[in-house]
Amino acid sequence: MSDRDPRPSGPRPPSVDRVLRAAADRFDGRDRDAVVREARAVVEEERSRLARGNVPSTVDALADSVIHRLAGFEDARSDGVMRVINATGVVLHTNLGRAPWPAAAVRAAAEAAAASLLELDSDTGRRGARFRVAKEHVIALTGAEDALITNNNAAAVALAVSLAGRGGVAVSRGELVEIGGGVRIPDIVRRAGAKLVEVGTTNRTRVADFEEALEVGRAKVVLRVHPSNFVQAGFVEGPDPEALAEAAHRLGAIVIDDLGSGALLDTSEFGLAHEPTPSERLSAGADLVTFSGDKLVGGPQAGIIAGRADLVARLRRDPLARAMRPDKVMLAAIAATLGLYRAGVAQREVPVWRQIGSSADALEARGRAVLDGVLAGLLDSSEHFAIALVPSESTIGGGSLPGQTLPSWAISISGSSPDRLLAALRAGSPAVIGHIVDDAVLLDLRTVEPADDEALGAAVAAAIGTQSRGGR
Ligand SMILES: *Cc1c(COP(=O)(O)O)cnc(C)c1O
């Protein structure tokens, strides 16, 4: 905080004290430490600007930027979270936070966040109501004896495979999946302290392959992993779930089925391939199933473990379960999301299913209205853009139903650099995220919430306007 900088020549920034004095009357009740921290940062930035040969800022300008930074931190919207319109046509977009929450989940989370009533922890042997509600919903929806919620499905898998103790976990070589972000099932198994026993081959694994590993006592757990994000075709064979469970139980092992998405509605009713449901796999003999809360369940990030009561009770007592425990906000949100399935309104109230269930005709009609909105908002200078409503294909994404598409409609914009237009759309307010097909920017209606249609039209017109002005 001293003026006396040992470095000899060149312009120097004002001292932190001078900057603080210049803004003193505007710090209105803020913590002194916070103010000093930001003033130091601003002075340091000024020092590097000067070192690069920039013109010195006035002390008042530096004081202004201290105030500006402090006010920015106070505004939650500056915390890297920004409202975006997902026009990618990818329903579960990982970079957009996977599933958008149902309104009921948002309300429940807000209430839980503000409430002072904490979940009781397992030390007391009693659970808060929210833990119970989420658990009871899972039991009702899957037919499981008991259930446990963790903070995500990777945690659920790691916790569940720890049931192998020091024994082995048998996994088909065709299911040694990399989930995404470099996270691999074999690593999760090893990190959980269990021994990975690879079984069968990449394309074909039979029940007999598992029996071999179980007979010699090398494995105590059979782990099935849903190959969520890739498709195998051709000379391919996997074990029948029921036959595998029967063999595992005969040889004293348990079956854990990692479903990944864990659809609670039948995807085949929406023109998609059938995703195995938790209740199907439990009926087929799986002792435990695990799945995510923010994939096809359509709620917050969560992991769900459902199955045999004795096994779930063991997992609940595991100290790791505490380390993987969800917080009250997420519990409230997942309970509210699951409640929509129990109420029989998931298709209407869960955005993921509402989007998957939108008919191509309905999307075309919405697309026409959005297109009209775009054209109405355009400047004359944008005539060299070709803007049209075109058929497109949406995907599910989020490592769910790879290769499956749903017929959709999109606003197509061509005529300038598609990368620059995408960037302009991203920089807008609200930001619009689209994608490029054949040199045109496509904005798919399926993943846009209908309430955002008007804002989408205006944002697109504005982005095209910036391109028309800047592009000539
Ligand atoms: C997505 C996925 C996971 C990881 O789930 P998270 O909720 O992202 O932790 C694990 N297994 C499979 C098969 C998956 O598809």
Side-chain angles (χ1 to χ4, degrees):
M1 288 243 271
S2 155
D3 277 279
R4 283 181 292 279
D5 191 314
R7 273 168 288 182
S9 63
R12 291 181 313 166
S15 71
V16 171
D17 277 342
R18 275 192 65 202
V19 174
L20 289 175
R21 277 197 303 274
D25 55 338
R26 288 187 286 162
F27 290 142
D28 49 354
R30 290 183 200 274
D31 289 352
R32 170 91 186 154
D33 286 353
V35 173
V36 171
R37 191 159 49 231
E38 295 318 311
R40 282 196 181 127
V42 165
V43 168
E44 267 321 299
E45 274 172 17
E46 175 69 0
R47 193 187 308 285
S48 4
R49 279 188 65 254
L50 295 176
R52 290 194 302 272
N54 288 297
V55 187
S57 314
T58 63
V59 173
D60 278 339
L62 295 177
D64 283 347
S65 71
V66 175
I67 302 292
H68 190 75
R69 285 168 71 113
L70 291 165
F73 293 128
E74 204 176 337
D75 181 353
R77 276 167 303 180
S78 70
D79 292 350
V81 180
M82 180 178 65
R83 200 171 81 88
V84 300
I85 295 179
N86 174 8
T88 60
V90 182
V91 176
L92 298 168
H93 201 293
T94 302
N95 294 346
L96 298 178
R98 286 198 188 152
W101 293 11
V106 174
R107 280 196 303 273
E111 275 168 23
S116 57
L117 192 72
L118 286 167
E119 300 300 330
L120 298 179
D121 64 28
S122 48
D123 296 344
T124 67
R126 283 167 48 219
R127 302 257 153 196
R130 243 171 237 122
F131 240 119
R132 261 200 327 272
V133 173
K135 181 181 91 171
E136 279 161 12
H137 284 338
V138 175
I139 291 171
L141 293 166
T142 64
E145 292 171 5
D146 199 357
L148 180 66
I149 315 286
T150 58
N151 53 16
N152 59 25
N153 187 34
V157 174
L159 187 61
V161 299
S162 71
L163 287 170
R166 285 170 206 278
V169 176
V171 188
S172 162
R173 289 198 169 87
E175 297 181 351
L176 293 171
V177 176
E178 175 167 321
I179 301 164
V183 179
R184 297 171 166 181
I185 290 291
D187 296 334
I188 292 179
V189 170
R190 288 198 203 94
R191 200 61 189 78
K195 214 161 60 225
L196 183 71
V197 180
E198 297 183 14
V199 164
T201 62
T202 304
N203 57 332
R204 292 171 78 90
T205 303
R206 304 182 185 85
V207 173
D209 297 319
F210 279 99
E211 282 173 334
E212 206 178 305
L214 298 172
E215 268 160 7
V216 296
R218 281 189 300 149
K220 286 280 156 258
V221 166
V222 168
L223 174 63
R224 301 204 56 182
V225 184
H226 187 48
S228 321
N229 50 12
F230 69 102
V231 211
Q232 274 196 330
F235 192 53
V236 172
E237 179 184 347
D240 168 64
E242 260 173 76
L244 177 57
E246 188 277 319
H249 294 154
R250 178 162 39 79
L251 295 165
I254 59 163
V255 177
I256 298 168
D257 204 327
D258 172 17
L259 293 171
S261 274
L264 295 172
L265 297 182
D266 184 355
T267 48
S268 69
E269 287 179 16
F270 296 82
L272 297 164
H274 178 71
E275 271 286 298
T277 66
S279 64
E280 273 166 26
R281 287 302 171 87
L282 287 171
S283 321
D287 298 285
L288 293 175
V289 293
T290 74
F291 51 103
S292 292
D294 55 354
K295 291 183 179 173
L296 286 174
V297 171
Q301 174 185 308
I304 297 166
I305 305 178
R308 258 170 58 186
D310 59 327
L311 298 177
V312 174
R314 269 173 67 191
L315 295 179
R316 195 173 279 131
R317 285 194 302 269
D318 191 320
L320 266 186
R322 175 57 181 251
M324 298 167 170
R325 193 173 73 149
D327 82 304
K328 61 179 178 176
V329 172
M330 184 264 255
L331 267 178
I334 193 76
T337 304
L338 294 169
L340 299 172
Y341 289 89
R342 281 197 83 183
V345 295
Q347 194 183 326
R348 195 181 69 212
E349 298 292 333
V350 177
V352 164
W353 289 104
R354 199 160 58 213
Q355 293 176 6
I356 290 175
S358 299
S359 73
D361 287 348
L363 296 172
E364 184 183 9
R366 281 178 48 208
R368 295 232 170 276
V370 173
L371 183 63
D372 288 346
V374 176
L375 296 175
L378 278 186
L379 305 165
D380 298 341
S381 57
S382 44
E383 75 253 345
H384 59 289
F385 284 86
I387 307 163
L389 184 67
V390 300
S392 66
E393 287 188 333
S394 318
T395 58
I396 307 305
S400 304
L401 292 155
Q404 300 276 307
T405 59
L406 292 166
S408 186
W409 286 85
I411 306 289
S412 159
I413 309 153
S414 50
S416 89
S417 153
D419 287 314
R420 279 184 34 216
L421 182 56
L422 271 193
L425 286 162
R426 271 200 308 275
S429 176
V432 175
I433 314 295
H435 67 143
I436 299 172
V437 175
D438 294 337
D439 269 347
V441 169
L442 286 198
L443 302 170
D444 194 308
L445 270 302
R446 182 178 297 280
T447 51
V448 177
E449 283 295 301
D452 286 338
D453 281 0
E454 214 177 301
L456 174 65
V460 171
I464 291 176
T466 66
Q467 297 300 289
S468 308
R469 283 194 299 278
R472 294 206 272 189

